[in-house]
Amino acid sequence: MKLQQNSDQDLVKLYLSGEESVLEELLRRHKSKIYTSIYLLVKDQYLAEDIFQDAFIKVINTLRSGRYNEEGKFLPWVMRIAHNLVIDYFRKEKRTPVITSADGTDVLNLLQILEESAEERMLREQTHIDLRAMIHLLPDEQKEVLIMRHYADLSFKEIADLTDVSINTALGRMRYALSNLRKMMKVKEVSTKNS
């Protein structure tokens, strides 16, 4: 059987009908693109390989369970699974991003102070916890751009390519994310002062 001539959709149908060997062709066809997109986000070869494997395990489990319904959109579907796994990884790592405005100043004023007192350190750590909680409340599209830009240090062009949107859309999502974080921080300041 000449699998190279079959579309992704045909290969998925063959796989679902019991032709397990077609999975190799789907892997061969898309591995480079999926792996590269993961690697660009995590910048670590071994971690990228782990996430790539997890993504394909999820793909296989979804296909086998009969929950796949992205007809004709196999690659974007797998890319979405991979990106969600990357975002989950960054969430688990709980890395705190430093968000800078256009003029280079730290929007969130989370400056690392070398000689800080125990009280200042506790306050800074609480601010980081609050920030992570606020980031978690952002709409998924805004959260994704924020994480890719500040956790994974990607350019807006890379983010646009990976999320399949225009650069202007990626920039807009970032603007909204920062605006929403500022609003949440103001609400928190007000509620802290009143309590």
Side-chain angles (χ1 to χ4, degrees):
M1 190 178 355
K2 279 266 186 219
L3 297 176
Q4 288 87 350
Q5 293 155 358
N6 291 22
S7 69
D8 289 351
Q9 195 173 342
D10 292 339
L11 292 176
V12 168
K13 283 179 184 164
L14 283 168
Y15 179 77
L16 294 174
S17 69
E19 246 347 284
E20 299 225 352
S21 62
V22 300
L23 198 59
E24 277 180 50
E25 173 61 20
L26 281 168
L27 246 172
R28 185 200 62 72
R29 196 175 279 185
H30 300 299
K31 180 177 184 184
S32 166
K33 193 168 194 171
I34 297 163
Y35 173 82
T36 302
S37 76
I38 295 168
Y39 180 78
L40 283 171
L41 291 169
V42 298
K43 293 180 170 52
D44 177 301
Q45 177 187 343
Y46 300 108
L47 179 59
E49 286 170 10
D50 284 350
I51 292 173
F52 176 82
Q53 287 175 356
D54 289 349
F56 257 86
I57 289 167
K58 206 164 188 170
V59 165
I60 291 166
N61 290 339
T62 304
L63 289 173
R64 284 186 177 157
S65 71
R67 288 179 290 135
Y68 175 76
N69 61 359
E70 308 279 330
E71 296 237 339
K73 296 179 181 162
F74 181 77
L75 181 60
W77 174 67
V78 178
M79 294 288 264
R80 212 165 42 248
I81 289 172
H83 290 144
N84 288 341
L85 289 171
V86 168
I87 288 169
D88 289 347
Y89 163 77
F90 281 119
R91 260 193 219 128
K92 283 180 198 147
E93 283 296 297
K94 293 186 172 121
R95 295 186 193 166
T96 305
V98 175
I99 300 171
T100 54
S101 64
D103 65 358
T105 57
D106 187 347
V107 172
L108 303 170
N109 295 323
L110 298 176
L111 300 172
Q112 288 282 9
I113 302 163
L114 294 175
E115 297 291 322
E116 61 186 352
S117 67
E119 186 180 337
E120 288 169 329
R121 189 179 70 249
M122 282 172 51
L123 187 63
R124 179 177 51 79
E125 286 170 359
Q126 184 58 49
T127 305
H128 286 212
I129 291 166
D130 292 345
L131 173 62
R132 284 197 295 268
M134 288 175 196
I135 289 171
H136 191 65
L137 295 173
L138 290 172
D140 287 343
E141 291 171 341
Q142 293 173 24
K143 190 177 355 183
E144 183 179 42
V145 171
L146 186 86
I147 287 170
M148 288 180 175
R149 180 79 185 111
H150 292 289
Y151 287 53
D153 205 26
L154 292 182
S155 71
F156 283 105
K157 175 159 185 9
E158 290 169 317
I159 293 168
D161 291 346
L162 288 169
T163 56
D164 212 18
V165 297
S166 71
I167 291 176
N168 283 342
T169 300
L171 286 165
R173 288 176 181 173
M174 186 63 165
R175 253 193 322 276
Y176 285 123
L178 293 175
S179 172
N180 285 334
L181 283 175
R182 279 190 209 102
K183 286 176 193 164
M184 285 187 246
M185 291 186 109
K186 278 185 183 148
V187 169
K188 176 136 182 66
E189 274 176 38
V190 171
S191 68
T192 306
K193 284 178 186 170
N194 293 337
S195 53

mmCIF file of all heavy atoms in Angstrom, residues 62-102:
data_model
loop_
_atom_site.group_PDB
_atom_site.id
_atom_site.type_symbol
_atom_site.label_atom_id
_atom_site.label_comp_id
_atom_site.label_asym_id
_atom_site.label_seq_id
_atom_site.Cartn_x
_atom_site.Cartn_y
_atom_site.Cartn_z
ATOM 1 N N THR A 62 -7.057 9.335 21.776
ATOM 2 C CA THR A 62 -8.262 10.015 21.273
ATOM 3 C C THR A 62 -8.796 9.283 20.044
ATOM 4 O O THR A 62 -10.010 9.079 19.913
ATOM 5 C CB THR A 62 -7.951 11.490 20.935
ATOM 6 O OG1 THR A 62 -7.413 12.117 22.098
ATOM 7 C CG2 THR A 62 -9.194 12.233 20.502
ATOM 8 N N LEU A 63 -7.896 8.890 19.135
ATOM 9 C CA LEU A 63 -8.323 8.161 17.937
ATOM 10 C C LEU A 63 -8.973 6.833 18.324
ATOM 11 O O LEU A 63 -10.050 6.489 17.823
ATOM 12 C CB LEU A 63 -7.132 7.906 17.002
ATOM 13 C CG LEU A 63 -6.562 9.126 16.265
ATOM 14 C CD1 LEU A 63 -5.282 8.749 15.526
ATOM 15 C CD2 LEU A 63 -7.575 9.729 15.308
ATOM 16 N N ARG A 64 -8.326 6.099 19.220
ATOM 17 C CA ARG A 64 -8.847 4.776 19.623
ATOM 18 C C ARG A 64 -10.183 4.872 20.337
ATOM 19 O O ARG A 64 -10.996 3.960 20.250
ATOM 20 C CB ARG A 64 -7.832 4.066 20.523
ATOM 21 C CG ARG A 64 -6.665 3.519 19.733
ATOM 22 C CD ARG A 64 -5.749 2.698 20.601
ATOM 23 N NE ARG A 64 -4.678 2.139 19.793
ATOM 24 C CZ ARG A 64 -3.509 1.761 20.268
ATOM 25 N NH1 ARG A 64 -3.251 1.866 21.554
ATOM 26 N NH2 ARG A 64 -2.594 1.259 19.477
ATOM 27 N N SER A 65 -10.385 5.947 21.085
ATOM 28 C CA SER A 65 -11.633 6.081 21.842
ATOM 29 C C SER A 65 -12.787 6.565 20.962
ATOM 30 O O SER A 65 -13.915 6.664 21.413
ATOM 31 C CB SER A 65 -11.442 7.051 23.007
ATOM 32 O OG SER A 65 -11.308 8.361 22.502
ATOM 33 N N GLY A 66 -12.460 6.908 19.694
ATOM 34 C CA GLY A 66 -13.508 7.347 18.776
ATOM 35 C C GLY A 66 -13.921 8.798 18.972
ATOM 36 O O GLY A 66 -14.962 9.224 18.492
ATOM 37 N N ARG A 67 -13.111 9.585 19.698
ATOM 38 C CA ARG A 67 -13.468 10.978 19.975
ATOM 39 C C ARG A 67 -12.872 11.942 18.954
ATOM 40 O O ARG A 67 -13.039 13.150 19.080
ATOM 41 C CB ARG A 67 -13.005 11.381 21.378
ATOM 42 C CG ARG A 67 -13.850 10.736 22.472
ATOM 43 C CD ARG A 67 -13.382 11.111 23.859
ATOM 44 N NE ARG A 67 -12.093 10.461 24.111
ATOM 45 C CZ ARG A 67 -11.040 11.052 24.658
ATOM 46 N NH1 ARG A 67 -11.101 12.311 25.025
ATOM 47 N NH2 ARG A 67 -9.913 10.401 24.860
ATOM 48 N N TYR A 68 -12.181 11.450 17.947
ATOM 49 C CA TYR A 68 -11.579 12.335 16.936
ATOM 50 C C TYR A 68 -12.633 12.752 15.924
ATOM 51 O O TYR A 68 -13.303 11.904 15.338
ATOM 52 C CB TYR A 68 -10.426 11.620 16.225
ATOM 53 C CG TYR A 68 -9.828 12.433 15.087
ATOM 54 C CD1 TYR A 68 -8.989 13.503 15.350
ATOM 55 C CD2 TYR A 68 -10.122 12.134 13.754
ATOM 56 C CE1 TYR A 68 -8.445 14.255 14.327
ATOM 57 C CE2 TYR A 68 -9.577 12.888 12.719
ATOM 58 C CZ TYR A 68 -8.739 13.937 13.017
ATOM 59 O OH TYR A 68 -8.200 14.690 11.997
ATOM 60 N N ASN A 69 -12.810 14.049 15.731
ATOM 61 C CA ASN A 69 -13.794 14.499 14.738
ATOM 62 C C ASN A 69 -13.314 15.732 13.980
ATOM 63 O O ASN A 69 -14.105 16.519 13.498
ATOM 64 C CB ASN A 69 -15.149 14.767 15.404
ATOM 65 C CG ASN A 69 -15.055 15.851 16.460
ATOM 66 O OD1 ASN A 69 -13.993 16.387 16.722
ATOM 67 N ND2 ASN A 69 -16.179 16.146 17.085
ATOM 68 N N GLU A 70 -11.989 15.908 13.883
ATOM 69 C CA GLU A 70 -11.414 17.075 13.206
ATOM 70 C C GLU A 70 -11.147 16.739 11.740
ATOM 71 O O GLU A 70 -10.021 16.820 11.284
ATOM 72 C CB GLU A 70 -10.104 17.488 13.887
ATOM 73 C CG GLU A 70 -10.205 17.691 15.376
ATOM 74 C CD GLU A 70 -10.779 19.043 15.748
ATOM 75 O OE1 GLU A 70 -10.581 19.995 14.996
ATOM 76 O OE2 GLU A 70 -11.432 19.124 16.796
ATOM 77 N N GLU A 71 -12.148 16.328 11.028
ATOM 78 C CA GLU A 71 -11.975 15.856 9.652
ATOM 79 C C GLU A 71 -11.170 16.822 8.791
ATOM 80 O O GLU A 71 -11.505 17.999 8.677
ATOM 81 C CB GLU A 71 -13.342 15.606 9.008
ATOM 82 C CG GLU A 71 -14.087 14.491 9.702
ATOM 83 C CD GLU A 71 -14.478 13.380 8.755
ATOM 84 O OE1 GLU A 71 -14.545 13.613 7.552
ATOM 85 O OE2 GLU A 71 -14.723 12.264 9.247
ATOM 86 N N GLY A 72 -10.118 16.314 8.197
ATOM 87 C CA GLY A 72 -9.306 17.114 7.292
ATOM 88 C C GLY A 72 -8.375 18.095 7.977
ATOM 89 O O GLY A 72 -7.711 18.878 7.326
ATOM 90 N N LYS A 73 -8.338 18.064 9.309
ATOM 91 C CA LYS A 73 -7.503 19.026 10.033
ATOM 92 C C LYS A 73 -6.610 18.309 11.033
ATOM 93 O O LYS A 73 -6.467 18.722 12.177
ATOM 94 C CB LYS A 73 -8.388 20.034 10.769
ATOM 95 C CG LYS A 73 -9.205 20.889 9.821
ATOM 96 C CD LYS A 73 -10.081 21.839 10.579
ATOM 97 C CE LYS A 73 -10.914 22.656 9.611
ATOM 98 N NZ LYS A 73 -12.045 23.287 10.223
ATOM 99 N N PHE A 74 -6.003 17.222 10.598
ATOM 100 C CA PHE A 74 -5.200 16.405 11.506
ATOM 101 C C PHE A 74 -4.024 17.183 12.101
ATOM 102 O O PHE A 74 -3.850 17.219 13.316
ATOM 103 C CB PHE A 74 -4.697 15.146 10.778
ATOM 104 C CG PHE A 74 -3.882 14.242 11.655
ATOM 105 C CD1 PHE A 74 -4.495 13.422 12.591
ATOM 106 C CD2 PHE A 74 -2.495 14.215 11.554
ATOM 107 C CE1 PHE A 74 -3.740 12.591 13.408
ATOM 108 C CE2 PHE A 74 -1.733 13.380 12.370
ATOM 109 C CZ PHE A 74 -2.363 12.569 13.297
ATOM 110 N N LEU A 75 -3.206 17.816 11.252
ATOM 111 C CA LEU A 75 -2.016 18.515 11.749
ATOM 112 C C LEU A 75 -2.364 19.644 12.718
ATOM 113 O O LEU A 75 -1.807 19.702 13.821
ATOM 114 C CB LEU A 75 -1.133 19.012 10.604
ATOM 115 C CG LEU A 75 0.141 19.741 11.041
ATOM 116 C CD1 LEU A 75 1.045 18.843 11.875
ATOM 117 C CD2 LEU A 75 0.897 20.273 9.840
ATOM 118 N N PRO A 76 -3.300 20.548 12.371
ATOM 119 C CA PRO A 76 -3.644 21.605 13.341
ATOM 120 C C PRO A 76 -4.162 21.029 14.668
ATOM 121 O O PRO A 76 -3.885 21.568 15.735
ATOM 122 C CB PRO A 76 -4.741 22.409 12.636
ATOM 123 C CG PRO A 76 -4.550 22.130 11.187
ATOM 124 C CD PRO A 76 -3.985 20.744 11.090
ATOM 125 N N TRP A 77 -4.882 19.910 14.584
ATOM 126 C CA TRP A 77 -5.406 19.269 15.789
ATOM 127 C C TRP A 77 -4.256 18.764 16.664
ATOM 128 O O TRP A 77 -4.238 19.013 17.873
ATOM 129 C CB TRP A 77 -6.349 18.128 15.371
ATOM 130 C CG TRP A 77 -6.849 17.280 16.498
ATOM 131 C CD1 TRP A 77 -7.691 17.671 17.508
ATOM 132 C CD2 TRP A 77 -6.547 15.900 16.722
ATOM 133 N NE1 TRP A 77 -7.926 16.601 18.341
ATOM 134 C CE2 TRP A 77 -7.242 15.513 17.883
ATOM 135 C CE3 TRP A 77 -5.776 14.955 16.054
ATOM 136 C CZ2 TRP A 77 -7.178 14.220 18.390
ATOM 137 C CZ3 TRP A 77 -5.718 13.671 16.555
ATOM 138 C CH2 TRP A 77 -6.408 13.303 17.715
ATOM 139 N N VAL A 78 -3.277 18.091 16.064
ATOM 140 C CA VAL A 78 -2.132 17.583 16.816
ATOM 141 C C VAL A 78 -1.308 18.747 17.379
ATOM 142 O O VAL A 78 -0.852 18.700 18.522
ATOM 143 C CB VAL A 78 -1.238 16.651 15.953
ATOM 144 C CG1 VAL A 78 -0.029 16.181 16.745
ATOM 145 C CG2 VAL A 78 -2.031 15.454 15.449
ATOM 146 N N MET A 79 -1.154 19.817 16.575
ATOM 147 C CA MET A 79 -0.401 20.991 17.043
ATOM 148 C C MET A 79 -1.083 21.600 18.278
ATOM 149 O O MET A 79 -0.414 22.003 19.223
ATOM 150 C CB MET A 79 -0.304 22.054 15.947
ATOM 151 C CG MET A 79 0.506 21.637 14.752
ATOM 152 S SD MET A 79 2.260 21.550 15.065
ATOM 153 C CE MET A 79 2.739 23.152 14.475
ATOM 154 N N ARG A 80 -2.412 21.636 18.257
ATOM 155 C CA ARG A 80 -3.155 22.177 19.393
ATOM 156 C C ARG A 80 -2.919 21.321 20.645
ATOM 157 O O ARG A 80 -2.705 21.848 21.740
ATOM 158 C CB ARG A 80 -4.649 22.234 19.045
ATOM 159 C CG ARG A 80 -5.367 23.361 19.709
ATOM 160 C CD ARG A 80 -6.738 23.684 19.149
ATOM 161 N NE ARG A 80 -7.579 22.556 18.820
ATOM 162 C CZ ARG A 80 -7.936 22.210 17.590
ATOM 163 N NH1 ARG A 80 -7.512 22.905 16.556
ATOM 164 N NH2 ARG A 80 -8.712 21.179 17.376
ATOM 165 N N ILE A 81 -2.940 20.000 20.473
ATOM 166 C CA ILE A 81 -2.678 19.090 21.602
ATOM 167 C C ILE A 81 -1.277 19.359 22.150
ATOM 168 O O ILE A 81 -1.081 19.494 23.360
ATOM 169 C CB ILE A 81 -2.819 17.611 21.162
ATOM 170 C CG1 ILE A 81 -4.289 17.283 20.913
ATOM 171 C CG2 ILE A 81 -2.218 16.662 22.203
ATOM 172 C CD1 ILE A 81 -4.533 15.912 20.298
ATOM 173 N N ALA A 82 -0.287 19.453 21.252
ATOM 174 C CA ALA A 82 1.101 19.688 21.667
ATOM 175 C C ALA A 82 1.230 21.018 22.412
ATOM 176 O O ALA A 82 1.867 21.088 23.467
ATOM 177 C CB ALA A 82 2.026 19.655 20.455
ATOM 178 N N HIS A 83 0.605 22.075 21.875
ATOM 179 C CA HIS A 83 0.704 23.384 22.528
ATOM 180 C C HIS A 83 0.036 23.383 23.892
ATOM 181 O O HIS A 83 0.527 24.006 24.829
ATOM 182 C CB HIS A 83 0.124 24.480 21.637
ATOM 183 C CG HIS A 83 0.972 24.750 20.449
ATOM 184 N ND1 HIS A 83 0.472 25.071 19.224
ATOM 185 C CD2 HIS A 83 2.320 24.714 20.287
ATOM 186 C CE1 HIS A 83 1.459 25.218 18.370
ATOM 187 N NE2 HIS A 83 2.587 24.999 18.987
ATOM 188 N N ASN A 84 -1.090 22.676 24.016
ATOM 189 C CA ASN A 84 -1.752 22.582 25.325
ATOM 190 C C ASN A 84 -0.860 21.874 26.332
ATOM 191 O O ASN A 84 -0.801 22.261 27.503
ATOM 192 C CB ASN A 84 -3.103 21.871 25.201
ATOM 193 C CG ASN A 84 -4.139 22.734 24.510
ATOM 194 O OD1 ASN A 84 -3.998 23.951 24.434
ATOM 195 N ND2 ASN A 84 -5.168 22.112 23.982
ATOM 196 N N LEU A 85 -0.146 20.838 25.878
ATOM 197 C CA LEU A 85 0.777 20.132 26.771
ATOM 198 C C LEU A 85 1.931 21.042 27.191
ATOM 199 O O LEU A 85 2.380 20.992 28.339
ATOM 200 C CB LEU A 85 1.312 18.858 26.107
ATOM 201 C CG LEU A 85 0.292 17.722 25.951
ATOM 202 C CD1 LEU A 85 0.860 16.599 25.085
ATOM 203 C CD2 LEU A 85 -0.125 17.170 27.312
ATOM 204 N N VAL A 86 2.412 21.870 26.271
ATOM 205 C CA VAL A 86 3.487 22.822 26.604
ATOM 206 C C VAL A 86 2.981 23.815 27.649
ATOM 207 O O VAL A 86 3.666 24.103 28.643
ATOM 208 C CB VAL A 86 3.990 23.569 25.341
ATOM 209 C CG1 VAL A 86 4.887 24.742 25.723
ATOM 210 C CG2 VAL A 86 4.737 22.614 24.420
ATOM 211 N N ILE A 87 1.788 24.336 27.447
ATOM 212 C CA ILE A 87 1.219 25.299 28.392
ATOM 213 C C ILE A 87 1.021 24.635 29.760
ATOM 214 O O ILE A 87 1.341 25.225 30.795
ATOM 215 C CB ILE A 87 -0.094 25.897 27.836
ATOM 216 C CG1 ILE A 87 0.266 26.857 26.693
ATOM 217 C CG2 ILE A 87 -0.874 26.626 28.924
ATOM 218 C CD1 ILE A 87 -0.905 27.318 25.868
ATOM 219 N N ASP A 88 0.556 23.381 29.756
ATOM 220 C CA ASP A 88 0.426 22.641 31.020
ATOM 221 C C ASP A 88 1.773 22.520 31.715
ATOM 222 O O ASP A 88 1.878 22.670 32.929
ATOM 223 C CB ASP A 88 -0.146 21.238 30.779
ATOM 224 C CG ASP A 88 -1.619 21.273 30.387
ATOM 225 O OD1 ASP A 88 -2.254 22.337 30.544
ATOM 226 O OD2 ASP A 88 -2.126 20.241 29.902
ATOM 227 N N TYR A 89 2.819 22.242 30.924
ATOM 228 C CA TYR A 89 4.167 22.120 31.493
ATOM 229 C C TYR A 89 4.573 23.438 32.168
ATOM 230 O O TYR A 89 5.036 23.449 33.300
ATOM 231 C CB TYR A 89 5.186 21.746 30.415
ATOM 232 C CG TYR A 89 6.609 22.010 30.851
ATOM 233 C CD1 TYR A 89 7.247 21.139 31.737
ATOM 234 C CD2 TYR A 89 7.294 23.148 30.432
ATOM 235 C CE1 TYR A 89 8.528 21.400 32.180
ATOM 236 C CE2 TYR A 89 8.578 23.412 30.875
ATOM 237 C CZ TYR A 89 9.193 22.533 31.743
ATOM 238 O OH TYR A 89 10.456 22.796 32.193
ATOM 239 N N PHE A 90 4.380 24.561 31.476
ATOM 240 C CA PHE A 90 4.765 25.844 32.053
ATOM 241 C C PHE A 90 3.928 26.167 33.289
ATOM 242 O O PHE A 90 4.428 26.745 34.248
ATOM 243 C CB PHE A 90 4.660 26.975 31.024
ATOM 244 C CG PHE A 90 5.826 27.014 30.089
ATOM 245 C CD1 PHE A 90 5.641 26.856 28.723
ATOM 246 C CD2 PHE A 90 7.111 27.202 30.557
ATOM 247 C CE1 PHE A 90 6.720 26.888 27.847
ATOM 248 C CE2 PHE A 90 8.192 27.238 29.693
ATOM 249 C CZ PHE A 90 7.993 27.081 28.336
ATOM 250 N N ARG A 91 2.658 25.773 33.257
ATOM 251 C CA ARG A 91 1.812 25.995 34.434
ATOM 252 C C ARG A 91 2.360 25.228 35.626
ATOM 253 O O ARG A 91 2.420 25.735 36.734
ATOM 254 C CB ARG A 91 0.387 25.514 34.146
ATOM 255 C CG ARG A 91 -0.532 26.628 33.788
ATOM 256 C CD ARG A 91 -1.973 26.130 33.841
ATOM 257 N NE ARG A 91 -2.663 26.742 32.735
ATOM 258 C CZ ARG A 91 -3.381 26.107 31.833
ATOM 259 N NH1 ARG A 91 -3.513 24.807 31.896
ATOM 260 N NH2 ARG A 91 -3.970 26.754 30.870
ATOM 261 N N LYS A 92 2.726 23.956 35.396
ATOM 262 C CA LYS A 92 3.248 23.121 36.477
ATOM 263 C C LYS A 92 4.561 23.679 37.003
ATOM 264 O O LYS A 92 4.854 23.598 38.178
ATOM 265 C CB LYS A 92 3.450 21.678 35.999
ATOM 266 C CG LYS A 92 2.161 20.905 35.916
ATOM 267 C CD LYS A 92 2.425 19.489 35.447
ATOM 268 C CE LYS A 92 1.120 18.878 34.956
ATOM 269 N NZ LYS A 92 1.309 17.948 33.868
ATOM 270 N N GLU A 93 5.370 24.198 36.097
ATOM 271 C CA GLU A 93 6.663 24.770 36.505
ATOM 272 C C GLU A 93 6.466 26.036 37.323
ATOM 273 O O GLU A 93 7.349 26.449 38.052
ATOM 274 C CB GLU A 93 7.509 25.114 35.264
ATOM 275 C CG GLU A 93 8.137 23.914 34.620
ATOM 276 C CD GLU A 93 9.126 23.230 35.537
ATOM 277 O OE1 GLU A 93 10.135 23.848 35.898
ATOM 278 O OE2 GLU A 93 8.871 22.069 35.894
ATOM 279 N N LYS A 94 5.308 26.662 37.139
ATOM 280 C CA LYS A 94 4.959 27.893 37.846
ATOM 281 C C LYS A 94 6.052 28.946 37.720
ATOM 282 O O LYS A 94 6.425 29.599 38.682
ATOM 283 C CB LYS A 94 4.683 27.591 39.321
ATOM 284 C CG LYS A 94 3.449 26.761 39.509
ATOM 285 C CD LYS A 94 3.129 26.596 40.970
ATOM 286 C CE LYS A 94 1.784 25.938 41.113
ATOM 287 N NZ LYS A 94 1.798 24.711 41.836
ATOM 288 N N ARG A 95 6.559 29.096 36.530
ATOM 289 C CA ARG A 95 7.536 30.159 36.305
ATOM 290 C C ARG A 95 6.808 31.485 36.259
ATOM 291 O O ARG A 95 5.764 31.598 35.644
ATOM 292 C CB ARG A 95 8.261 29.946 34.974
ATOM 293 C CG ARG A 95 9.095 28.696 34.962
ATOM 294 C CD ARG A 95 9.860 28.656 33.684
ATOM 295 N NE ARG A 95 10.424 27.338 33.507
ATOM 296 C CZ ARG A 95 10.922 26.924 32.369
ATOM 297 N NH1 ARG A 95 10.908 27.690 31.313
ATOM 298 N NH2 ARG A 95 11.438 25.714 32.270
ATOM 299 N N THR A 96 7.362 32.472 36.891
ATOM 300 C CA THR A 96 6.728 33.790 36.888
ATOM 301 C C THR A 96 7.332 34.633 35.785
ATOM 302 O O THR A 96 8.531 34.862 35.769
ATOM 303 C CB THR A 96 6.932 34.480 38.249
ATOM 304 O OG1 THR A 96 6.436 33.607 39.258
ATOM 305 C CG2 THR A 96 6.183 35.797 38.303
ATOM 306 N N PRO A 97 6.517 35.089 34.869
ATOM 307 C CA PRO A 97 7.061 35.906 33.782
ATOM 308 C C PRO A 97 7.340 37.336 34.241
ATOM 309 O O PRO A 97 6.713 37.829 35.162
ATOM 310 C CB PRO A 97 5.928 35.902 32.757
ATOM 311 C CG PRO A 97 4.697 35.748 33.580
ATOM 312 C CD PRO A 97 5.084 34.883 34.747
ATOM 313 N N VAL A 98 8.283 37.963 33.592
ATOM 314 C CA VAL A 98 8.505 39.393 33.788
ATOM 315 C C VAL A 98 7.939 40.053 32.547
ATOM 316 O O VAL A 98 8.356 39.757 31.435
ATOM 317 C CB VAL A 98 10.005 39.713 33.944
ATOM 318 C CG1 VAL A 98 10.213 41.212 34.023
ATOM 319 C CG2 VAL A 98 10.564 39.019 35.170
ATOM 320 N N ILE A 99 6.978 40.907 32.726
ATOM 321 C CA ILE A 99 6.283 41.490 31.590
ATOM 322 C C ILE A 99 6.724 42.939 31.447
ATOM 323 O O ILE A 99 6.559 43.731 32.366
ATOM 324 C CB ILE A 99 4.757 41.386 31.789
ATOM 325 C CG1 ILE A 99 4.397 39.904 31.927
ATOM 326 C CG2 ILE A 99 4.023 42.037 30.642
ATOM 327 C CD1 ILE A 99 2.988 39.639 32.323
ATOM 328 N N THR A 100 7.303 43.249 30.303
ATOM 329 C CA THR A 100 7.806 44.606 30.090
ATOM 330 C C THR A 100 6.938 45.324 29.070
ATOM 331 O O THR A 100 6.421 44.719 28.142
ATOM 332 C CB THR A 100 9.263 44.583 29.595
ATOM 333 O OG1 THR A 100 9.343 43.757 28.455
ATOM 334 C CG2 THR A 100 10.199 44.075 30.663
ATOM 335 N N SER A 101 6.826 46.621 29.266
ATOM 336 C CA SER A 101 6.066 47.434 28.319
ATOM 337 C C SER A 101 6.974 47.847 27.170
ATOM 338 O O SER A 101 8.161 47.535 27.167
ATOM 339 C CB SER A 101 5.494 48.662 29.030
ATOM 340 O OG SER A 101 6.564 49.464 29.477
ATOM 341 N N ALA A 102 6.434 48.590 26.225
ATOM 342 C CA ALA A 102 7.187 48.985 25.034
ATOM 343 C C ALA A 102 8.446 49.776 25.389
ATOM 344 O O ALA A 102 9.462 49.668 24.711
ATOM 345 C CB ALA A 102 6.303 49.808 24.110
#
